[in-house]
Amino acid sequence: MSPTLVRGRRALPVAAALALLTAAALTTSTPSARGEESLATSSPTGPMELPAEWMTAQRLSDGSTNLSAARYAKARGEANQLAARTRSVYRHLADRDWRFFGPSNIGGRVVDIAVDPQVANQVFVAAASGGIWRSADAGATFEAAWPDGGTQSMGAVAMTSDGVLFAGTGEAQPGGGSITFGGDGVYRSRDRGRTWQRVGLENSHAIARFAIDPDNQDRIFAAAAGNLFVPGGERGVYLSEDGGDTWRQALAPPNATTGATEVVIDPQNPNRVYAALWDHLREPHQRTYGGPGSSLWRSDDGGRNWRRMTNGLPTDADQGRWGLALAPSNPERLYAYVGTALGPFRAFYRSDDGGDTWTQTPVNANQASQSTFSWWFGKLFVDPADADHVFLTGVNLRRSTDGAQSFGNVGGVHADQHVVRWDPKVPGRAYLGNDGGFYRSESNGVSGWVKSTYEPYTQFYTVDVAETDPALKVGGAQDNGCNRGYTGVGGPWTAIGCGDGLQVIIHPENPNIVFGCSQYGSCYRSENAGAAPRQSIGPGQTTSERRNWLTPLQFDPSDPNVMYYAGNVVNRSTDNGRTWTAISPDLTGGGPNDPSGYPWGTITTIAAAPTDGDKLYVGTDDGRLWWTDDLGATWSRVDPAQLPGTWVTRVAVHPTDANIAYATFSAFRSGSDRAHVMMTRDGGRTWTDIGRGLPDAPVNSVVPTSDGLLLVGTDVGVFVSAWNGGEWAALGAELPAAAVMYLRYHEPSRQLTAATFGRGVYDLTVPRCPAASTGLPLREPGAGVVGVLASCRAA
């Protein structure tokens, strides 16, 4: 059947969905004016997936529907075991530390903020896939307050009046990629983030918000959103009455696909508690972002009993995510808004009697600035000193001074707003978290927003280094564009265009020539290190019907003037990206005519052989591998029976032998024989699984070195083996447990650079392993490779 969207529980065909979404055009040219806004899953130019769907589709490309934190917990456990073995057997590999390179000034998605009620200028933030961070200077700079080895996915953070900190893991927003990794419960710190203890709700997957009783700090509510991909589990509103030691469900959702996204306590009457529930589920071919479970609730007895608020509110099934807020200075005043199940803003409501009755306000979609994805925000914030002063999250930050009768735009900040908090110790001081990071205003949020100068939790898709100097780096970041780091370790990075930043590469001989790509292959060529003027590369200059969220753009290592770009067709340039010629047919099996509606049918990776300019390898999102020996005159497809059939994340060719190539795959094995890393020794004709021994987690990148090592980046770390696999070891220490999306190896300096999704960019010096550098072992894969890694100890 065709891919579908849903309105409530009713499937909506993509063609109809696209017609509905046409009117919801983007209203901003900020970095959020990108493919993320659309709910469509296909279009004439490519799969209109969100960043999270790009992440999700890879990891579920084995056909499963279960993307749970348990899978990642198992994989992390396997990674930890491999790291422990490496420390025991291959100390020289384990002792090498990863070094943070940057960026420190770009930032990334901040989903929640906790203001320390006792310590001046101290705030804590939850980074979407970067852990918890502490600032001692009112957000000017941050330091890590979360273990590097713990899950990095975050949804909420809160602090009691006596300084006990709570962190809810798992992002509740279903976009931006972070939701893919999920959380593993609620954590508590009694020493302001120095040490942490998990205290429950391990099966909640995502915690959206905390609320603490101001009269009894041991009474803590948690809004558990649940697993977006799997019904059931720990969902709804939970209550702890012993400071987090134990939790019980206070408000059960009406069905297995509904979770809680907001919980609010009346500060003058803590027995009165409000909650927002959201009915949502993501399946391989459709999304349900609303339904009968989406609703607002109130308890008047401390959470023991609840009633749904309906007087003046909609009761039909076309309700998406609700935003809910209470005015602290007048707790009878409540504000709420809701989106439709498809995503556009629907309506705004106000109550002046504690939720007994509600009135729809004049706020419209333009004032709300929700675009077509109200489910990405779902938050409202009211000035603690002024019940009429309201902030509404959206692509832009909106502010009302008349009790939500009208809203105006607040400028000067990055797009996509998620949280506003006020510092009770400093009148007029407000904090803001959005997709660009952390901001502070000393004018009550009206203006004067100042961005943090040190917030190293950027979500990177790719990274590249200059061959002329590995200290020169560029990278593509989720919702933070293409960026250039040419100022050395720890130095500031410079934005160099793009919406979402995807593939970014540096000319091998001239670091002033930089190519940057936004989503769906909208790329540019710059001869000013990424700055303007820029020449466009993309749909207007290249041939393809469909382009992936991350469209591959690569140099031919044998000739820096030759480049490759691919949507569903491979394009080649011989003049350094100025003009392009198609050199392949459609190499995929997907697209609009695919009866299954999945996969989308795009090329995901290209690799040219360094020793043979006529030899190319190509991988696709529907698990196909191809090679050509004659520069595209003829293409040969690898027998599907040899391959796992899952998303091909990367192909790489051996530096000294065009017949040796490697392919990596996403998805989980889930007990099957599906491979994560495969190798060919005969130019692509036959492939062998050489990834056994790696953690069962998606592999995102592979690098063969000229002296016989093989390096892979995965969702749970970086690992090394000999050229033909066999035995694997963890490489290095001090790398945070964020997914490693991309590896770039600089052969002359032996520097390996890793792009992480949530903790920035890291470097490590790869050891020399004499047994590998003597030549390629004439053994079958997996045989006799122990000596290769052991030789690294004496290097």
Side-chain angles (χ1 to χ4, degrees):
M1 69 181 200
S2 297
T4 56
L5 302 172
V6 293
R7 179 184 291 277
R9 292 291 177 209
R10 178 173 61 85
L12 186 67
V14 163
L18 286 174
L20 284 172
L21 292 169
T22 299
L26 304 184
T27 59
T28 174
S29 59
T30 66
S32 255
R34 41 173 169 57
E36 187 169 315
E37 285 81 354
S38 179
L39 277 178
T41 52
S42 65
S43 79
T45 58
M48 294 293 285
E49 78 272 25
L50 309 165
E53 288 185 2
W54 179 78
M55 290 274 199
T56 300
Q58 298 177 53
R59 288 152 182 81
L60 295 181
S61 59
D62 60 352
S64 67
T65 59
N66 183 0
L67 191 59
S68 66
R71 281 187 161 187
Y72 277 103
K74 177 177 178 291
R76 288 190 200 100
E78 294 168 350
N80 291 339
Q81 292 175 6
L82 191 51
R85 183 177 185 276
T86 303
R87 288 192 296 271
S88 173
V89 179
Y90 303 126
R91 189 80 188 189
H92 189 70
L93 294 173
D95 282 348
R96 291 175 175 264
D97 285 345
W98 288 90
R99 306 172 301 276
F100 178 70
F101 181 88
S104 60
N105 64 313
I106 298 299
R109 187 177 314 117
V110 170
V111 296
D112 205 359
I113 299 169
V115 181
D116 194 314
Q118 297 177 335
V119 181
N121 297 321
Q122 183 151 283
V123 293
F124 296 84
V125 301
S129 57
I132 302 294
W133 294 79
R134 177 197 305 110
S135 173
D137 52 15
T141 61
F142 283 90
E143 63 179 359
W146 187 256
D148 285 346
T151 178
Q152 301 295 302
S153 181
M154 291 292 152
V157 62
M159 179 173 271
T160 67
S161 61
D162 53 358
V164 178
L165 193 62
F166 286 87
T169 62
E171 185 180 10
Q173 285 72 248
S178 310
I179 190 71
T180 304
F181 305 108
D184 59 1
V186 173
Y187 288 76
R188 179 180 64 201
S189 173
R190 298 188 185 278
D191 52 13
R192 288 180 161 82
R194 291 171 180 82
T195 60
W196 292 87
Q197 173 191 12
R198 187 165 65 180
V199 293
L201 303 185
E202 290 90 344
N203 296 317
S204 59
H205 195 81
I207 301 295
R209 188 68 83 214
F210 292 110
I212 301 170
D213 186 337
D215 293 342
N216 180 359
Q217 300 293 292
D218 285 336
R219 293 188 75 246
I220 304 157
F221 289 90
N227 192 329
L228 177 62
F229 310 96
V230 183
E234 292 175 315
R235 294 171 178 264
V237 176
Y238 285 80
L239 170 63
S240 175
E241 298 184 279
D242 52 16
D245 288 338
T246 60
W247 298 82
R248 66 174 177 84
Q249 190 181 56
L251 174 60
N255 58 43
T257 56
T258 296
T261 52
E262 191 64 86
V263 59
V264 180
I265 295 178
D266 183 333
Q268 296 180 15
N269 177 16
N271 281 325
R272 177 165 285 187
V273 186
Y274 301 89
L277 300 185
W278 183 25
D279 198 341
H280 59 315
L281 176 70
R282 177 173 292 168
E283 299 171 272
H285 308 313
Q286 70 179 32
R287 280 166 296 181
T288 302
Y289 281 173
S294 294
S295 48
L296 297 180
W297 297 75
R298 188 181 82 188
S299 171
D300 292 317
D301 56 7
R304 287 184 290 276
N305 297 284
W306 297 77
R307 70 173 179 87
R308 181 174 178 177
M309 296 182 289
T310 58
N311 191 355
L313 297 176
T315 57
D316 59 86
D318 189 19
Q319 297 180 50
R321 183 172 180 170
W322 279 94
L324 176 66
L326 173 150
S329 63
N330 176 14
E332 292 293 300
R333 173 75 62 82
L334 298 169
Y335 298 98
Y337 81 89
V338 66
T340 70
L342 276 178
F345 173 86
R346 175 173 172 175
F348 199 104
Y349 300 89
R350 169 176 154 177
S351 173
D352 289 295
D353 53 14
D356 289 338
T357 62
W358 292 82
T359 301
Q360 186 171 341
T361 74
V363 177
N364 57 39
N366 288 334
Q367 287 184 314
S369 184
Q370 300 296 305
S371 189
T372 60
F373 55 123
S374 61
W375 40 264
W376 182 227
F377 309 108
K379 300 295 179 185
L380 286 161
F381 301 91
V382 186
D383 186 337
D386 184 352
D388 288 331
H389 191 201
V390 186
F391 287 85
L392 170 62
T393 61
V395 176
N396 300 319
L397 183 63
R398 301 288 188 172
R399 185 176 74 94
S400 173
T401 58
D402 56 11
Q405 298 305 300
S406 63
F407 279 83
N409 189 54
V410 177
V413 297
H414 192 280
D416 290 6
Q417 320 306 318
H418 297 293
V419 58
V420 180
R421 300 290 185 200
W422 283 262
D423 190 333
K425 303 180 296 300
V426 183
R429 176 178 288 176
Y431 300 113
L432 171 68
N434 58 33
D435 274 18
F438 183 90
Y439 291 79
R440 182 185 74 242
S441 167
E442 301 290 351
S443 58
N444 208 28
V446 177
S447 60
W449 290 101
V450 178
K451 193 178 188 302
S452 174
T453 60
Y454 191 88
E455 44 181 342
Y457 34 77
T458 307
Q459 298 172 315
F460 274 97
Y461 290 114
T462 66
V463 68
D464 194 20
V465 305
E467 283 297 322
T468 56
D469 181 356
L472 307 181
K473 292 182 172 64
V474 294
Q478 162 59 30
D479 205 23
N480 281 277
C482 299
N483 296 276
R484 180 184 70 229
Y486 279 22
T487 55
V489 177
W493 287 41
T494 303
I496 52 172
C498 307
D500 285 294
L502 280 305
Q503 191 85 65
V504 191
I505 55 177
I506 304 172
H507 190 281
E509 296 177 352
N510 183 354
N512 286 321
I513 300 176
V514 172
F515 295 79
C517 296
S518 298
Q519 59 274 21
Y520 309 119
S522 294
C523 305
Y524 69 72
R525 180 185 188 277
S526 166
E527 295 188 6
N528 192 22
R534 304 182 181 111
Q535 172 196 346
S536 293
I537 298 170
Q541 297 76 35
T542 59
T543 301
S544 278
E545 295 176 332
R546 302 175 300 279
R547 293 166 174 83
N548 200 274
W549 175 261
L550 197 166
T551 297
L553 176 69
Q554 296 292 331
F555 289 103
D556 185 330
S558 67
D559 185 343
N561 283 315
V562 175
M563 302 184 70
Y564 295 96
Y565 169 108
N568 62 319
V569 170
V570 178
N571 290 257
R572 183 172 186 260
S573 172
T574 58
D575 55 9
N576 203 231
R578 294 176 178 86
T579 61
W580 296 85
T581 302
I583 63 167
S584 83
D586 184 347
L587 296 181
T588 75
N593 298 321
D594 176 28
S596 71
Y598 181 87
W600 295 308
T602 60
I603 293 167
T604 52
T605 178
I606 309 169
T611 56
D612 182 352
D614 292 335
K615 182 78 172 185
L616 298 173
Y617 296 85
V618 169
T620 72
D621 59 18
D622 54 351
R624 302 180 182 212
L625 277 177
W626 299 80
W627 82 91
T628 176
D629 292 319
D630 51 18
L631 206 55
T634 58
W635 288 88
S636 300
R637 182 182 173 187
V638 177
D639 182 356
Q642 298 185 48
L643 303 175
T646 54
W647 188 298
V648 186
T649 54
R650 202 79 67 232
V651 289
V653 189
H654 196 279
T656 62
D657 191 334
N659 287 318
I660 298 175
Y662 304 89
T664 58
F665 301 85
S666 194
F668 290 83
R669 280 196 295 268
S670 302
S672 77
D673 291 329
R674 291 187 177 94
H676 284 318
V677 184
M678 300 197 77
M679 179 184 72
T680 180
R681 300 169 67 177
D682 57 10
R685 291 159 182 80
T686 59
W687 293 77
T688 306
D689 180 4
I690 62 169
R692 295 294 166 175
L694 284 170
D696 181 13
V699 177
N700 304 311
S701 195
V702 59
V703 174
T705 72
S706 62
D707 58 354
L709 295 178
L710 192 63
L711 315 168
V712 296
T714 78
D715 277 6
V716 292
V718 178
F719 303 92
V720 59
S721 184
W723 74 282
N724 57 358
E727 186 177 34
W728 293 89
L731 182 58
E734 307 299 328
L735 183 65
V740 175
M741 302 300 295
Y742 206 89
L743 294 178
R744 174 65 164 86
Y745 180 60
H746 185 255
E747 189 84 52
S749 66
R750 304 193 65 80
Q751 176 184 282
L752 181 66
T753 300
T756 74
F757 197 73
R759 293 295 299 269
V761 172
Y762 283 76
D763 289 333
L764 175 140
T765 302
V766 176
R768 295 187 183 276
C769 303
S773 62
T774 57
L776 301 180
L778 298 177
R779 302 182 179 93
E780 290 302 310
V785 298
V786 175
V788 173
L789 295 184
S791 74
C792 300
R793 297 164 62 183

